[in-house]
Amino acid sequence: MCGRYSITTAPEALRRLFAVSDMINLEPRYNMAPMQTAPVIRTRDGERHMDRLRWGLVPAWAPDESRAASLINGRSETVAEKPAFRDAFVKRRCLVPADGFYEWQKRGSGKQPYRVSLEGNRPFAFAGLWERWDKGVEPVETFTLLTTDADPRIAHIHHRMPVILANPDEFSVWLDGETAERSAMLRPYGEADLIFTPVSKRVGNVRNDDPALMGPLDETEEEREQAPQPPKQGSLF
């Protein structure tokens, strides 16, 4: 799954890459987390627009918003069949701009986070779906990221990864292409510029959102991150 990512690319660079007709004000985000609002790109009236949606899908038919936290990702292998995703897969696709994502590798009794990105911190898009839920006091628009099997180069970190679209030609296909074309894109990212870097465990806390999270750890920091922690001392009072 993918539960954290970064989007730190300058807005003007994103505007050019995604050819959006209007932009929203963006601050760099080094640790985007579920249930937070994030920029997504959708097609309306034949043009691409960037909007803010909340991460964690709420299907239009859902009686309430309680499932949002469990629908931050959708498995691409079953997206055309699962009730939570199939209608959005046909009618409501989006691009989710990013320049990296985080996964945690199990190490003994702990976990080491890694940032997965493209060389040069090049921006790309996740393949996403969005929904509009109208059963509350106000409408809520949400999105999810589609996942697939991990590329063999990062499978030792985690067995799943988000679907990455890095070629601008893919953006139009995902947003407006035929079903067969879109389905063919739901595969691991296999280009040579995929890299992964161990980063600080601070990324596990959603309150941390700063450039230092993107790493890399130096040797001293990595040794300290991997070292077993002493047991906490109980209070004397």
Side-chain angles (χ1 to χ4, degrees), residues 140-217:
V140 177
E141 293 189 326
T142 60
F143 73 95
T144 189
L145 307 180
L146 298 188
T147 66
T148 184
D149 289 332
D151 182 90
R153 289 165 292 177
I154 60 172
H156 65 289
I157 300 173
H158 196 275
H159 67 286
R160 302 288 292 178
M161 69 180 297
V163 175
I164 291 176
L165 308 177
N167 186 329
D169 291 339
E170 297 175 310
F171 302 160
S172 294
V173 175
W174 178 248
L175 291 173
D176 304 307
E178 299 297 326
T179 300
E181 294 177 303
R182 300 196 312 270
S183 297
M185 301 169 71
L186 300 178
R187 61 187 185 275
Y189 183 81
E191 301 302 318
D193 58 349
L194 187 72
I195 61 176
F196 55 93
T197 307
V199 297
S200 171
K201 291 180 179 178
R202 293 178 57 245
V203 74
N205 188 331
V206 298
R207 291 174 293 184
N208 296 325
D209 190 11
D210 56 79
L213 297 179
M214 295 167 61
L217 297 177

